Amino acid sequence: MPVWRRIWKSLDCLDRFDDVPQEWKHAALFLFANTVYLPQVLLNDAWRALYLELCEGELDCDSVAARQRILDSIHLFENDPSAMTGTFCHVNGLEGRLDNQRLQRVEGVDKLADVLLDLLNPVKRDRAESILVPLFTKPHWVILVDKSLSGHSLEADLRRLVIARSIAEKAGFNPPKIVVLCQVLTGRAVAVIEALVEDLPDGAFSWYCAVLFDDRHSITHPDSTLISDPAIRDSALELCHWFSARFLESDDRLARMRERSGDNLEFGYRACGLTLVDYSNCPTDSLPIFWYATEPTADDIYVGPYVRVHSRIGNQSAEPSSGKWIDLESNESIVSALRHSNQGGSS
């Protein structure tokens, strides 16, 4: 179905509610007209641009042949693992991504915690060592990010990599430099990154982004560029509050998201207030009228114009990854085991 038909279908859903005034529907149309769509070709070009930034800005690769060997000196992590490593390597023509000696199979930061803990398990120790020693020997840890809009998930992963970097240094490795390559970044996420950098030694961290949206791309910002007419903008904000009260607050599927957001998602996750949509999924940082859909059996139906496939819904608990990293940070046995591996003690 064409986008314009899906938008009219969403507006038709709103039209069925007697307590939605005409000016709110008008404001909804303005919001949909401000959709920022990120097609696949743009995001692939973003990976290409970031690859060049990495090669030239971090690795001093001044030839195509040298660039093809970067997997020997970097480890690629993914923020919210979703096959980004494969896409990054594919669009940039990097060979060897399935070679375990060049690119260990630790794509997510949480997986790194699990492998570090395996050092204390006699049954898993040898495999853990075979993964960790090459990984900790790499001079650069590169974390791939598709979108960091609130900065929340990226901040968590970066803080964990900082802990891992400290463990590496204590175990006798040269501490790797952490490099962020982000396709799409917001001003809010930039502030999160800059605050984290302040606590790190010089040269320990750098970041690059391909597409940057400043805070004015949020409907909640006082200088928002989305809607210039103050009356229409006020109507848009009122519509978002009504939408949350009418649909989101009582939806148990969003309980975990509401808790992590710290609000009722009036303006999307962590009140980002965005109108971003990409070719594969609409982020929850965008306004819920863009991505929310009621259950098919609901008495009152609303279906947003853009598809959102949730990675987690319902009340299930998040993986206790934060607890793992707290344990790792203070666990001298991990450092000792890793130091022993670094010295070839059990190889």
Side-chain angles (χ1 to χ4, degrees):
M1 183 186 297
V3 170
W4 68 269
R5 285 190 181 276
R6 299 202 302 268
I7 289 174
W8 285 118
K9 183 177 179 181
S10 299
L11 292 171
D12 184 58
C13 290
L14 293 176
D15 200 39
R16 299 179 186 182
F17 293 93
D18 295 335
D19 54 343
V20 177
Q22 189 62 38
E23 55 266 29
W24 289 6
K25 301 169 193 172
H26 188 57
L29 186 57
F30 265 75
L31 290 172
F32 292 142
N34 276 281
T35 299
V36 179
Y37 182 73
L38 304 173
Q40 185 174 16
V41 63
L42 181 148
L43 296 176
N44 284 345
D45 284 345
W47 282 142
R48 294 185 182 99
L50 291 167
Y51 167 66
L52 291 178
E53 292 273 22
L54 175 67
C55 290
E56 297 174 0
E58 298 293 334
L59 305 178
D60 295 324
C61 296
D62 56 2
S63 69
V64 174
R67 291 170 186 171
Q68 287 298 306
R69 296 193 297 270
I70 68 168
L71 293 181
D72 294 330
S73 59
I74 69 171
H75 181 82
L76 293 171
F77 290 100
E78 298 181 10
N79 177 233
D80 295 330
S82 56
M84 280 183 279
T85 297
T87 302
F88 180 81
C89 292
H90 176 72
V91 300
N92 289 305
L94 293 174
E95 298 180 353
R97 68 181 179 86
L98 299 180
D99 183 342
N100 287 344
Q101 292 305 308
R102 303 185 77 200
L103 191 62
Q104 290 70 38
R105 304 294 183 84
V106 184
E107 294 181 343
V109 178
D110 279 352
K111 178 65 179 299
L112 177 58
D114 292 333
V115 179
L116 282 166
L117 290 169
D118 284 346
L119 286 172
L120 304 182
N121 185 332
V123 176
K124 299 180 178 180
R125 183 185 300 130
D126 287 348
R127 180 178 180 275
E129 288 177 346
S130 70
I131 293 173
L132 291 171
V133 172
L135 189 156
F136 276 76
T137 304
K138 300 276 182 80
H140 291 81
W141 288 350
V142 178
I143 182 164
L144 302 177
V145 188
D146 54 359
K147 296 180 292 295
S148 184
L149 305 180
S150 71
H152 182 227
S153 175
L154 177 58
E155 179 185 20
D157 270 358
L158 289 178
R159 292 194 180 280
R160 292 162 188 168
L161 283 181
V162 169
I163 293 172
R165 183 180 184 275
S166 175
I167 292 172
E169 188 170 19
K170 293 176 183 176
F173 291 90
N174 291 325
K177 183 174 184 178
I178 300 170
V179 182
V180 172
L181 301 183
C182 184
Q183 290 176 303
V184 181
L185 201 62
T186 64
R188 176 184 295 205
V190 169
V192 168
I193 292 173
E194 290 178 341
L196 187 143
V197 171
E198 291 178 359
D199 298 330
L200 295 177
D202 291 340
F205 180 90
S206 62
W207 61 274
Y208 302 88
C209 77
V211 181
L212 176 63
F213 292 101
D214 65 29
D215 292 337
R216 293 173 298 171
H217 284 82
S218 170
I219 190 62
T220 61
H221 194 272
D223 298 320
S224 175
T225 58
L226 294 181
I227 300 177
S228 59
D229 187 312
I232 298 177
R233 183 167 176 269
D234 287 344
S235 292
L237 297 176
E238 291 169 357
L239 170 64
C240 290
H241 281 289
W242 172 85
F243 192 89
S244 173
R246 182 64 183 79
F247 294 109
L248 309 180
E249 292 180 20
S250 59
D251 192 333
D252 291 340
R253 296 174 300 170
L254 303 179
R256 182 174 178 271
M257 192 189 306
R258 289 195 300 269
E259 179 182 358
R260 291 169 66 88
S261 181
D263 54 30
N264 287 316
L265 304 174
E266 294 92 338
F267 305 110
Y269 187 69
R270 300 214 161 193
C272 284
L274 300 172
T275 57
L276 291 180
V277 179
D278 74 29
Y279 73 96
S280 63
N281 214 8
C282 183
T284 55
D285 310 78
S286 289
L287 298 173
I289 62 169
F290 278 66
W291 51 263
Y292 181 78
T294 55
E295 296 275 22
T297 57
D299 293 334
D300 298 313
I301 296 293
Y302 178 83
V303 179
Y306 299 104
V307 174
R308 171 67 197 174
V309 179
H310 296 277
S311 56
R312 298 185 183 93
I313 60 174
N315 292 322
Q316 73 271 35
S317 300
E319 294 181 6
S321 52
S322 297
K324 292 179 192 176
W325 284 101
I326 291 172
D327 291 342
L328 284 168
E329 188 173 21
S330 59
N331 195 325
E332 291 299 324
S333 297
I334 294 288
V335 174
S336 297
L338 189 58
R339 183 184 299 113
H340 185 67
S341 302
N342 186 28
Q343 296 170 348
S346 61
S347 299

